[in-house]
Structure formats: C-alpha cells, structure tokens
Amino acid sequence: MKVLGISAFYHDSAAALVDGSRVLAAAQEERFTRVKHDASFPKEAIEFCLSSSGLNLKDLDAVVFYEKPFLKFERILETYLAFAPHGFSAFRKSFPLWITEKLFQKKTLTENLSNLCSFDPGSKLLFTEHHASHCASAYLPSPFEKAAIVTLDGVGEWATTVIAEGKGKQITPLKEIHFPHSLGLLYSALTYYLGFVVNSGEYKVMGLAPYGEPIYRDKFLDIIDVKEDGSFRLNQKFFDYCTGLKMVNKRFERHFGQPARTAESEIQKFHVDVAASLQAVTEEVVSKIVMFAYKQTGQKNLCLAGGVALNCVANGKLLATSPFENIWVQPAAGDAGGALGAALLASHDHESVSKHVGTADAMKGSFLGPEYGRDEILRQLESSGAMFEELQEDKLITKTASVLAHGKIVGWMNGKMEFGPRALGSRSILADPRSPDMQKNLNLKIKQRESFRPFAPAVLQEDQASYFELESESPYMLFVSQVRGEHLTKVSSDRSAFAGLGSISDVRSTVPAVTHIDNSARIQTVLPTTNPKFHTLLKKFKEITGLGMLINTSFNVRGEPIVATPEDAYRCFMNTELDYLVIGNFLLDKKKQPTPVFGETKRSFPLD
C-alpha cells in the first residue's frame, strides 16, 4: 500500500512516502526552497519522495492531506461568531483568503498534484484529521505493539490535546481538549510576549527557562485552570489569538506588570523568570495529562507527538517521573510529521498491512531525506569554485577527529538528510564540548544567534551512562537529563544565586559547552546501526581525547533552514567562521578557499 502524505498551508510543509508500515522517504519543503518553516504546497519535497523511491503519482494507492479544511473553517467561523463583534476586523481580513484558497484545498491540492504529472487524484485524494495524523505519527512507527498516545499542539481543526490508545494497528481516541484551550497556544503566547517569533522561537523560551526562577507560577495559574486529570481551561480575557492579530492583550501585560518585550532588546531577569514559570506550569500540565493517560489505558508504553512534544525538558521529566516504562517521541513531532502520520494512517487501513513492532522504531534514525553521491558532490563543489581534497574514509575520519580535538569547528554533511527539526549527525556542525568558550563562539561567530542558546552533546550509545543520568536511548535529541555528579565542577560562590545571562561563561562540568546552567544536557545517543560514519567519528575522537562525545548543532545560521545540498553547505561554510567542511569523503579547509565574495555567498534570513 503506497501512500503519499502531505502537510501544508500553515507552517512546516512536508511530504512523506510509505509502503505499508515502511517509511520510504520524508522531507520538509523548507530544505529545498530555503524559506524557514515554508508553508507552501510541498512540490519539491513530493518530487524528492517519489524520485528517491523510483515512483510517480500514478503508482500510488492514495495521497492523504493531514487535516480537514472544512472542519478547521467551521472552528474559525464559530469562534468569530462566539466573540462577535470583537475581532471583526481580523475576520474581515482573513475571510476572503479562506473562501478563495484555504476552504477549497481539495481543488488546490488536485491542481498542484496534476501539475507534477498528468494525474487525476480522483478518489485517491483523502483527508484525515490533524490530531489523528499526529496520533498515527506517534504510534504507528513506534516499536510498540500497544501504547498510550498523547498529542499536544496549538490547534488542528478543534482538538488541541488528544489522549488515545493504540493496540495493534488500531488507534482509539479516549479524550480531547478543544480550542481555544491549548497548551501549545499558551506557550506560543509567551513566545510572542517575550519578543520571539511564534511557531519558531518556542524553543528559545525553553532554553531561557533554566536561567530564571518560577516566581510567576501562580500568575500563570490565574490564567490556566488545571484539573487533576490534566484537563485545563485558558481564561480568554488575557489572550487575543481567537479573534485578533496578536497572541496576548493589554490585560495580559498588566497581569504580569510589564509590556511585551521588543524583539532583539535586552533580556532581563523578568523575562527569564517568566520563561521559567511557564516551563514549570507546562511540565505540571503535561505530567497530569500523561498520568491520566496511564490510568485510562494501563499501558506500559507512551507515544508522544504534536509541537509540545518537542519540549525535551518536559520529556526528560516524564521519563524520570512518569509510571510509563518506555516513552517514544516522534522526531518530527510538529506539523511536518503530520504528513507522515497521514500517510501511515491510510496505509494501515489496508487489511494486509500490519503495524511495525520491533526492538527499534521504523524511522531509520529519521534519516529519510535526500543524499548525494560522490559525482554530484564533486560537481557542486567544482561549480562553487571550492578547493578540496578527497580522502579514503578512514583517513577522513582521522583528520576530522584530529582537527576537532584541536578546537576547530567542522561542518559535517553525511548521508541522508534528517526529517524533523533536529540535526542528528547528517547535516551538523560539530565541535569539542571540553572547551569553555565553545558555546559562546558557536552562538555568536558561527550560528549568528543569541548567546544563551544551549548546545546538545552527541554521545556514543555505549558511553551515555558514564556522563548522563539518562537510562533510555535518546537518538532523536528529545530528552534532557542531568550531567552525572562526578563530571560536575564547583561554580564560584557568587554564582550560587541567580546571575542571569552573565552565568553562561561558568564552567559547570568537564564538558562545559554542552552543560546548561542547571547542569542539564539535551542528549543525542549515537547508534552504529543508524549512523555508522558519525559513530565511527565519535569513536576516533574518543581514541584521541578519551571522550566519546561532540557538540552537535544544526548546520545552518540563524533564520536559515538546515542545509540540504552540497552547495548549501559550501555557502554556509563560506559565510561563517567554520574552520573545516566535510561532505561525503571530501574535506575542505577554510584557509585554502578563495576569498569569499559575500555578494555571491551571503544571504539574509528573517529572524527566527
């Protein structure tokens, strides 16, 4: 049963192709168009999925869109009517777009698909509900035969939170929380209030939280009424997202005592304390929802998806405190993963398709995107005017590990591109975590972003337990855990209390560049089965330094999608202070490159 799944028209458009329970390919449109969070019809992602599998649209059994536009329009229309006349101006602006484009997305999809080839979708074009797609993406690729399922995000059609149960290939919804009551929208509202971009900067709020104290927790609990079973209601008097063009209103600002932060302005103690308070409340609500799911299902396994499932701090707390024995999070947990869920949901409707069950999941390490062979890499490097050398793989690994051990920063492009927001050792920037200055240097000189943003360690699976208090694997960088006590170093006494962003430079462990202010780290465990070349590099780095760990951050600069092609990688390499670039078995030394002409290599990207 060959099925193409599509998510589009809101943010993070993507395409995914499955054959029964096998995931063949998946990619976000942004990687091809170079427009971050691109919401357009995922033409290039679809073309990649089909061409990489040797298929065309006529070979497919179905094409599935990840949500139902008519139900979403119903929710929007009913919301405006419920709040009328407030919000009429926003309604007047959005209504024509819905009538002409969004409401009749079947026509839009059919036209776009037909433009790819002479193809009439007819009965092959299907629609499923937003959170059904999330549930399927969470459960069907998981290794479990049975599990509780929890999905949390902003909003789909009506649902914002779903608790379900998976048995075999059947998914049974048990409980829903509906718009406008949304944990994802609460987090987005605070993202807006703190001066970051909604649907992009939420992870900045999570990164800021450890610098603050949750002293505003009670103020949040004045806004969100949380019950013991995890159900909650948001007091809409404080928000403007139902009918307005902003996330929060003046009442919200008065409640917290300060106006919304202006983008790029100084981050103050108030801002980090608000972030810490929001994170604490989020963890509390998620924990109660998950406990209710456990009581309702009695399952020992839990599957998570939806944008809130990318909150790796909350995930780490669940792993440590929830009664579930195993937790699996979809690596593309946001809307991009909805394309995969939609495809899997349709394919499993066929009687001959059984759910994937095994010791590993069906995501293939999330390495589901395009890869480039030697000849194509060579062609793109030569056309870019690059200077390079080609090495045997063992020599390339040794050279790369050696320059990393000497404090150099390396762009690393290897194999199939990752599906989802995390770089997992295929499109990565790598560096030595032992360096006290590396976090600052990477943020300011390479990533061109805020100094407070933490970096993740990629660690050999066999060495994980030696450095972190994480007992489960974390191949998708979706769990935060504490650095083990024996690796921590004593921070000076004047830093024992809150010291704001000035405490970034404190050396807190033997791997300071990946140790956050609260002695935590967002861990990626690297397995030889899913990324053997990256695993070999880590082993070689360990031979040289005694440490089987590297900083792993996405290969891009602020506001830019992760690089997809060798040309993208070379452009990013030349426009930053990266020292070396590795693409396949080609090694590039910055010192040997022609003087960059920034008019040709530099591109500007909007704030993220």
Side-chain angles (χ1 to χ4, degrees):
M1 182 80 175
K2 297 180 179 66
V3 181
L4 176 71
I6 297 172
S7 63
F9 309 133
Y10 182 45
H11 63 92
D12 294 310
S13 294
L17 183 65
V18 305
D19 185 358
S21 61
R22 293 190 303 125
V23 184
L24 301 181
Q28 294 112 294
E29 185 71 359
E30 66 165 19
R31 307 293 170 83
F32 304 96
T33 64
R34 312 308 299 153
V35 178
K36 196 169 180 68
H37 304 301
D38 195 344
S40 64
F41 176 77
K43 174 181 178 292
E44 295 194 55
I46 291 171
E47 289 179 333
F48 154 70
C49 287
L50 293 172
S51 63
S52 67
S53 304
L55 300 172
N56 61 50
L57 288 172
K58 295 178 181 179
D59 298 319
L60 303 180
D61 296 292
V63 178
V64 191
F65 191 65
Y66 81 129
E67 62 183 12
K68 294 187 175 181
F70 276 93
L71 284 178
K72 179 171 274 193
F73 179 70
E74 174 190 87
R75 184 255 299 170
I76 291 171
L77 185 59
E78 287 192 21
T79 300
Y80 277 120
L81 290 174
F83 282 82
H86 178 65
F88 177 74
S89 175
F91 176 71
R92 184 178 59 188
K93 292 177 182 178
S94 64
F95 190 73
L97 180 64
W98 267 98
I99 291 298
T100 58
E101 295 182 22
K102 295 188 177 183
L103 184 56
F104 300 104
Q105 282 175 359
K106 183 174 184 178
K107 181 175 180 288
T108 303
L109 289 165
T110 299
E111 290 174 350
N112 279 285
L113 290 166
S114 299
N115 288 336
L116 295 178
C117 72
S118 55
F119 167 72
D120 182 7
S123 61
K124 289 186 177 182
L125 181 57
L126 307 174
F127 294 80
T128 187
E129 291 191 19
H130 185 101
H131 271 268
S133 298
H134 276 323
C135 284
S137 78
Y139 172 63
L140 292 176
S142 78
F144 312 133
E145 188 173 7
K146 295 186 291 184
I149 307 165
V150 174
T151 67
L152 308 102
D153 69 358
V155 60
E157 294 86 3
W158 280 103
T160 66
T161 302
V162 171
I163 296 171
E165 184 174 23
K167 291 183 178 180
K169 64 179 183 179
Q170 299 300 318
I171 296 174
T172 304
L174 302 176
K175 183 177 180 179
E176 293 184 353
I177 297 174
H178 285 179
F179 182 87
H181 309 293
S182 166
L183 196 58
L185 287 175
L186 174 63
Y187 216 94
S188 292
L190 260 291
T191 300
Y192 171 90
Y193 181 65
L194 291 175
F196 304 125
V197 178
V198 173
N199 292 327
S200 178
E202 282 78 1
Y203 56 91
K204 298 185 189 182
V205 179
M206 182 177 66
L208 268 183
Y211 292 99
E213 300 168 292
I215 60 176
Y216 298 105
R217 174 182 172 276
D218 289 346
K219 283 190 174 291
F220 277 104
L221 293 179
D222 291 336
I223 291 174
I224 179 171
D225 179 22
V226 187
K227 305 302 183 185
E228 281 306 306
D229 64 356
S231 59
F232 59 87
R233 294 182 65 83
L234 295 180
N235 186 337
Q236 291 303 304
K237 292 180 180 179
F238 293 91
F239 301 96
D240 204 22
Y241 58 73
C242 279
T243 56
L245 301 176
K246 299 188 299 181
M247 295 298 295
V248 300
N249 56 28
K250 293 297 183 182
R251 184 191 294 262
F252 186 97
E253 294 180 341
R254 290 194 298 270
H255 184 67
F256 282 96
Q258 286 202 27
R261 172 179 169 264
T262 302
E264 303 301 293
S265 64
E266 181 185 358
I267 293 174
Q268 302 171 351
K269 183 178 187 299
F270 169 77
H271 301 125
V272 295
D273 287 343
V274 167
S277 304
L278 170 66
Q279 181 64 31
V281 170
T282 299
E283 291 168 14
E284 181 179 334
V285 176
V286 171
S287 178
K288 288 182 176 181
I289 291 170
V290 164
M291 180 59 73
F292 180 78
Y294 177 75
K295 292 176 179 177
Q296 287 291 297
T297 65
Q299 298 291 348
K300 66 179 182 179
N301 305 311
L302 172 65
C303 298
L304 298 173
V308 177
L310 292 172
N311 192 309
C312 50
V313 177
N315 294 344
K317 299 284 178 65
L318 290 178
L319 203 59
T321 63
S322 84
F324 286 100
E325 295 177 18
N326 306 294
I327 299 177
W328 190 83
V329 185
Q330 166 57 237
D335 274 14
L340 176 61
L344 288 170
L345 200 61
S347 70
H348 282 73
D349 274 346
H350 197 276
E351 61 183 13
S352 67
V353 177
S354 300
K355 187 208 177 294
H356 168 84
V357 177
T359 55
D361 61 54
M363 293 297 294
K364 302 177 183 176
S366 214
F367 300 113
L368 298 166
E371 65 177 331
Y372 297 86
R374 176 192 178 276
D375 292 346
E376 180 60 19
I377 295 171
L378 182 61
R379 185 192 68 77
Q380 290 198 32
L381 288 177
E382 288 179 340
S383 66
S384 297
M387 302 297 294
F388 53 85
E389 58 179 325
E390 185 175 11
L391 301 173
Q392 294 293 322
E393 185 165 306
D394 58 341
K395 293 183 178 179
L396 177 84
I397 294 292
T398 299
K399 174 69 173 179
T400 305
S402 177
V403 299
L404 285 165
H406 284 86
K408 303 301 181 182
I409 303 172
V410 177
W412 175 266
M413 180 174 171
N414 164 55
K416 293 186 175 184
M417 184 174 68
E418 301 91 339
F419 180 51
R422 311 293 190 207
L424 301 171
S426 181
R427 304 291 191 276
S428 293
I429 291 173
L430 308 175
D432 187 344
R434 300 172 301 168
S435 168
D437 298 321
M438 192 58 76
Q439 181 193 6
K440 178 180 68 176
N441 291 341
L442 277 172
N443 272 324
L444 300 180
K445 295 183 178 181
I446 307 297
K447 302 285 283 185
Q448 301 170 16
R449 66 185 195 182
E450 301 95 340
S451 62
F452 67 83
R453 307 251 296 259
F455 290 103
V459 60
L460 291 168
Q461 179 193 11
E462 55 268 34
D463 289 356
Q464 168 192 322
S466 300
Y467 286 91
F468 306 105
E469 296 177 1
L470 181 67
E471 297 181 0
S472 304
E473 291 178 0
S474 179
Y476 302 124
M477 212 182 280
L478 286 169
F479 293 100
V480 163
S481 181
Q482 295 296 111
V483 177
R484 293 185 68 87
E486 58 266 35
H487 296 288
L488 297 178
T489 56
K490 187 176 181 180
V491 179
S492 59
S493 58
D494 61 332
R495 293 292 196 194
S496 59
F498 172 79
L501 301 186
S503 59
I504 291 171
S505 59
D506 289 343
V507 176
R508 300 180 176 277
S509 77
T510 57
V511 283
V514 294
T515 304
H516 208 11
I517 188 173
D518 58 353
N519 297 329
S520 70
R522 174 165 51 92
I523 301 157
Q524 179 200 0
T525 52
V526 180
L527 287 69
T529 50
T530 52
N531 197 339
K533 190 171 182 179
F534 190 38
H535 189 270
T536 301
L537 176 65
L538 284 164
K539 288 183 69 174
K540 179 58 68 172
F541 186 77
K542 183 179 180 180
E543 285 182 21
I544 297 171
T545 65
L547 178 69
M549 184 191 311
L550 288 167
I551 297 172
N552 178 14
T553 188
S554 56
F555 196 164
N556 62 337
V557 297
R558 182 184 182 186
E560 176 191 25
I562 295 173
V563 301
T565 68
E567 183 182 5
D568 296 335
Y570 184 70
R571 182 186 297 113
C572 189
F573 170 61
M574 293 298 289
N575 193 40
T576 63
E577 294 185 39
L578 284 170
D579 299 300
Y580 289 89
L581 172 62
V582 175
I583 307 179
N585 285 342
F586 294 93
L587 177 68
L588 291 77
D589 184 339
K590 177 62 71 60
K591 293 179 180 178
K592 297 179 181 179
Q593 301 309 306
T595 303
V597 181
F598 288 112
E600 297 178 3
T601 61
K602 188 172 183 178
R603 295 187 62 188
S604 60
F605 297 95
L607 297 180
D608 59 356

